Amino acid sequence: MHEHELESLLKETLTRYAEAHRDRIADLEYEIVEELPSRQPTPRLRWGFVGAGAIAVAAVFVIGLWAGLNLFAAPCHDPSVLCLVYPNAKSVSVASQFTLWEPVPMNGPDRSGVWWIRLPDNIKPGRYEYSFIVDGERWVHDPRASEFVHTFDDKINSVLYIAPRGEQP
Amino acid sequence: MGEGELELIQRALHGDVDAWGEIVRRYKDAVFGIALGILGNPADAEDAAHDAFIRAYQGLHTFHLEKRFSTWIFAITANVCKNKLRRERLFAPLKHLSRLTKGGDPAKQLAQQERTQIIREAIDQLKPAYKMPLVLRYYADLDYKEIAEALGLPEGTVKTRLHRAKSELKHILEQKGVTGHA
């Protein structure tokens, strides 16, 4: 038996065998999604039954250190904060019409690998395109944005709308 | 990376389980096929695929977004299978070969089923250390470098193991009278 014959027999057998039993995993994605809400993708601190007093004392010492190391969770629930999860990036910046497309470094990462930046207070109401830049070279759109546009150079920009003060966007 | 895959992964990192569901939908056939190739038993392969996706979700923050997701999830699958083999000592021969083909000439089907069974049993006789690179190479189509990365082995070791696996397999199949022609 030649090597190429053996290789094609192997491919054929493994593929045929998997196909024959594929119906076993027909609903796998639904099973997993059902199981996941109780789980978290990123490690979170679980204090368990450690005494609250001990935690408070420890926190006094730890908070200062954590603040310096950006270990707090990024404030992504705040609508005036842009966030990107990119745990292994060395740096992430945002470039936008409101920065005149100059990259502005983002804070982070926090302990979950989230980078974030607060929009400037003096930003005027309007529509702004923006993109994240990972490690100074990779343009990444915001997966949380509700609108995207294709650029002339085949990139994807995210879009955000700033409403006048007191109005909902 | 596949279309929109990075975005799905990032959404999953933000806790969007539906995004992870879409990742599972895209990769479940490949992950199940690898697990089945290594474990040889559909029920165990189903469990392994399930465990692999759960573990991957839990460890998603360790995935380097600039790398190939497929290699990463296949590596997790191979590790889940390795642990399963170690834990349960699953070296039993194949038991579930009742339905391998659909339609066509029954005599031809039977011959094909028998041949598939013989090859499957031959694969099962291999040591896990040989079986894993073999499945990753010939089912998942990974190259040597990707297999090395997935199994945490030097590329040279992967080549040696694949070579030995094929030699052993060829020997077993020739003893059983299997030729390269159907």
Side-chain angles (χ1 to χ4, degrees):
Chain A
M1 188 187 295
H2 292 295
E3 182 152 339
H4 70 271
E5 287 175 326
L6 179 68
E7 288 175 352
S8 61
L9 269 178
L10 272 169
K11 278 187 187 183
E12 186 191 311
T13 302
L14 291 167
T15 307
R16 190 187 296 275
Y17 191 43
E19 275 171 5
H21 295 283
R22 198 156 278 169
D23 52 352
R24 298 192 76 106
I25 50 159
D27 296 325
L28 187 62
E29 61 269 40
Y30 303 109
E31 290 164 19
I32 285 176
V33 165
E34 264 180 35
E35 196 178 327
L36 283 179
S38 57
R39 299 171 185 255
Q40 292 293 331
T42 50
R44 288 183 184 250
L45 293 176
R46 296 182 191 283
W47 295 109
F49 295 103
V50 178
I55 294 169
V57 172
V60 170
F61 294 101
V62 173
I63 279 172
L65 176 66
W66 277 23
L69 296 174
N70 281 334
L71 286 174
F72 280 124
C76 297
H77 57 278
D78 184 337
S80 64
V81 171
L82 296 176
C83 284
L84 179 73
V85 186
Y86 219 112
N88 310 109
K90 291 185 183 70
S91 71
V92 179
S93 308
V94 64
S96 168
Q97 288 170 320
F98 63 76
T99 70
L100 302 175
W101 294 108
E102 279 298 316
V104 176
M106 293 171 71
N107 304 299
D110 73 358
R111 61 184 157 82
S112 301
V114 181
W115 299 77
W116 79 97
I117 191 165
R118 194 172 292 281
L119 295 170
D121 285 339
N122 57 355
I123 189 168
K124 289 181 181 164
R127 176 187 178 281
Y128 296 92
E129 292 182 19
Y130 66 103
S131 190
F132 299 120
I133 306 166
V134 175
D135 293 338
E137 55 184 25
R138 183 170 183 168
W139 288 64
V140 174
H141 59 272
D142 184 352
R144 303 197 311 163
S146 54
E147 190 179 321
F148 301 95
V149 288
H150 274 277
T151 64
F152 70 93
D153 53 350
D154 210 27
K155 291 193 177 84
I156 297 174
N157 281 345
S158 313
V159 177
L160 69 88
Y161 289 90
I162 305 293
R165 281 188 190 280
E167 284 182 28
Q168 290 293 319
Chain B
M1 219 176 254
E3 196 184 343
E5 195 167 284
L6 180 61
E7 186 187 334
L8 286 171
I9 293 166
Q10 283 174 328
R11 276 170 48 199
L13 278 162
H14 277 287
D16 181 345
V17 289
D18 291 328
W20 188 245
E22 175 58 22
I23 292 283
V24 174
R25 193 188 65 73
R26 290 184 186 191
Y27 282 96
K28 66 179 180 180
D29 287 346
V31 164
F32 176 69
I34 290 169
L36 189 58
I38 295 170
L39 298 171
N41 177 300
D44 290 319
E46 186 184 344
D47 286 349
H50 177 273
D51 290 356
F53 282 115
I54 295 288
R55 281 193 201 182
Y57 183 77
Q58 289 175 323
L60 197 54
H61 61 287
T62 65
F63 170 59
H64 288 247
L65 291 161
E66 63 280 4
K67 294 202 170 174
R68 274 181 72 177
F69 180 75
S70 55
T71 310
W72 187 70
I73 189 77
F74 295 166
I76 291 173
T77 309
N79 271 316
V80 167
C81 293
K82 192 162 72 179
N83 291 339
K84 216 168 170 57
L85 285 171
R86 196 179 288 153
R87 205 169 45 241
E88 299 174 18
R89 302 192 180 283
L90 266 174
F91 300 102
L94 188 66
K95 300 177 191 98
H96 305 268
L97 276 167
S98 53
R99 191 174 58 79
L100 288 170
T101 52
K102 291 174 185 169
D105 177 359
K108 217 172 178 180
Q109 273 188 37
L110 191 64
Q112 205 166 38
Q113 279 192 19
E114 281 174 0
R115 202 165 110 111
T116 305
Q117 179 154 0
I118 290 169
I119 299 165
R120 226 355 302 182
E121 283 175 357
I123 296 171
D124 277 344
Q125 284 180 37
L126 298 175
K127 290 194 286 188
Y130 290 174
K131 211 179 336 183
M132 281 194 284
L134 202 73
V135 173
L136 291 174
R137 179 80 188 101
Y138 296 108
Y139 179 77
D141 276 333
L142 298 193
D143 60 29
Y144 294 136
K145 195 176 166 199
E146 288 169 326
I147 298 169
E149 205 175 300
L151 299 179
L153 295 169
E155 212 174 311
T157 308
V158 169
K159 283 182 191 168
T160 309
R161 287 189 186 180
L162 271 172
H163 178 72
R164 287 185 185 157
K166 284 190 284 185
S167 300
E168 218 169 280
L169 206 54
K170 197 173 158 188
H171 180 66
I172 297 169
L173 291 177
E174 280 172 353
Q175 276 188 331
K176 289 176 185 279
V178 176
T179 63
H181 306 289

